[in-house]
């Protein structure tokens, strides 16, 4: 069994991959980017950074590659996006007195934002891509997926809510 480090190091960059193999390497990278990390912990810093670099690479790839979102990859795309963004959002317990607490006006920023931002950027590229046929995408972006997206508006992080508004 490969360690998490081995998983991130095992694949060539998409740029170095022969064109005929890129879709499969892209699919594998989407799967690897579905690995989640605990951001309240300082452990696995190298792995977190490798994932961030891989997310940067796939965002760059979809920005510079035509026809990278074909039907056979859509489920992989949405699985990776969902694995990263769909999570329980902590709800602040606000009592009547907290309404007057100026300290409470500060939003709680998402600790995993270095990864989430790239996942949202990737998802935005998917949503606006001319390569994505809306009729085909509807089969993958179902009502349940959209409801989960809407639930994320409960996030206190304004950066996340801005991406959600743009995507929706």
């Amino acid at each position: 069994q490969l360690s998490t480090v081995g998983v991130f190091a095992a694949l060539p960059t998409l740029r170095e991959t022969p064109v005929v193999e890129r879709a499969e390497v892209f699919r594998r990278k989407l799967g690897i980017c579905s690995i989640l990390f605990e951001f309240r912990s300082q452990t696995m810093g190298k792995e977190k950074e490798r994932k961030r670099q891989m997310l940067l690479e796939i965002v760059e790839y979809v920005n510079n590659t035509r026809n990278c979102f074909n039907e056979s990859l859509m489920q992989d795309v949405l699985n990776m996006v969902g694995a990263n963004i769909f999570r329980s959002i902590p709800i602040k317990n606000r009592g009547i007195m907290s309404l007057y607490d100026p300290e409470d006006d500060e939003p709680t920023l998402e600790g995993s934002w270095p990864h989430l931002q790239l996942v949202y950027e990737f998802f935005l590229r998917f949503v606006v891509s001319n390569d994505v046929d809306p009729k085909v995408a509807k089969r993958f972006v179902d009502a349940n997926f959209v409801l989960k997206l809407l639930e994320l508006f409960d996030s206190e992080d304004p950066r996340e809510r801005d991406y959600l508004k743009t995507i929706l």
Side-chain angles (χ1 to χ4, degrees), residues 3-168:
S3 70
T4 309
V5 174
V7 167
F8 285 104
L11 292 173
T13 65
L14 287 161
R15 201 177 281 158
E16 295 168 350
T17 302
V19 174
V20 296
E21 297 172 21
R22 280 191 189 150
E24 184 53 34
V25 171
F26 182 49
R27 178 190 314 276
R28 291 178 57 200
K29 287 185 181 240
L30 289 170
I32 292 168
C33 286
S34 297
I35 296 170
L36 301 179
F37 294 102
E38 176 55 59
F39 278 84
R40 288 174 288 198
S41 161
Q42 298 302 317
T43 62
M44 303 188 80
K46 287 181 183 175
E47 290 84 355
K48 289 174 189 173
E49 179 55 23
R50 284 190 179 104
K51 178 180 176 182
R52 194 181 73 75
Q53 290 299 324
M54 192 173 285
L55 285 165
L56 279 167
E57 180 190 6
I58 65 173
V59 168
E60 179 188 342
Y61 175 70
V62 300
N63 278 338
N64 298 311
T65 307
R66 296 282 305 140
N67 303 316
C68 58
F69 292 122
N70 59 49
E71 185 174 350
S72 69
L73 286 170
M74 281 193 195
Q75 192 62 59
D76 298 289
V77 165
L78 293 168
N79 286 346
M80 186 279 286
V81 169
N84 282 280
I85 68 172
F86 297 146
R87 64 207 187 284
S88 61
I89 303 288
I91 297 172
K92 265 196 173 174
N93 191 4
R94 291 207 162 117
I96 195 78
M97 295 310 291
S98 70
L99 293 174
Y100 304 104
D101 183 357
E103 298 277 313
D104 212 24
D105 288 337
E106 287 296 312
T108 304
L109 298 179
E110 180 60 54
S112 61
W113 189 248
H115 288 189
L116 275 179
Q117 178 182 16
L118 294 169
V119 173
Y120 276 117
E121 189 61 34
F122 174 80
F123 190 41
L124 179 60
R125 297 287 168 247
F126 172 78
V127 169
V128 300
S129 173
N130 291 329
D131 300 338
V132 177
D133 179 348
K135 290 177 185 162
V136 174
K138 274 179 139 177
R139 294 200 315 254
F140 300 97
V141 182
D142 58 9
N144 187 41
F145 190 94
V146 174
L147 283 173
K148 287 179 180 179
L149 270 180
L150 292 172
E151 288 173 6
L152 292 172
F153 275 104
D154 285 340
S155 170
E156 287 207 30
D157 195 320
R159 304 168 298 184
E160 183 167 19
R161 291 192 312 269
D162 283 344
Y163 262 105
L164 288 163
K165 283 185 244 176
T166 304
I167 289 167
L168 287 171

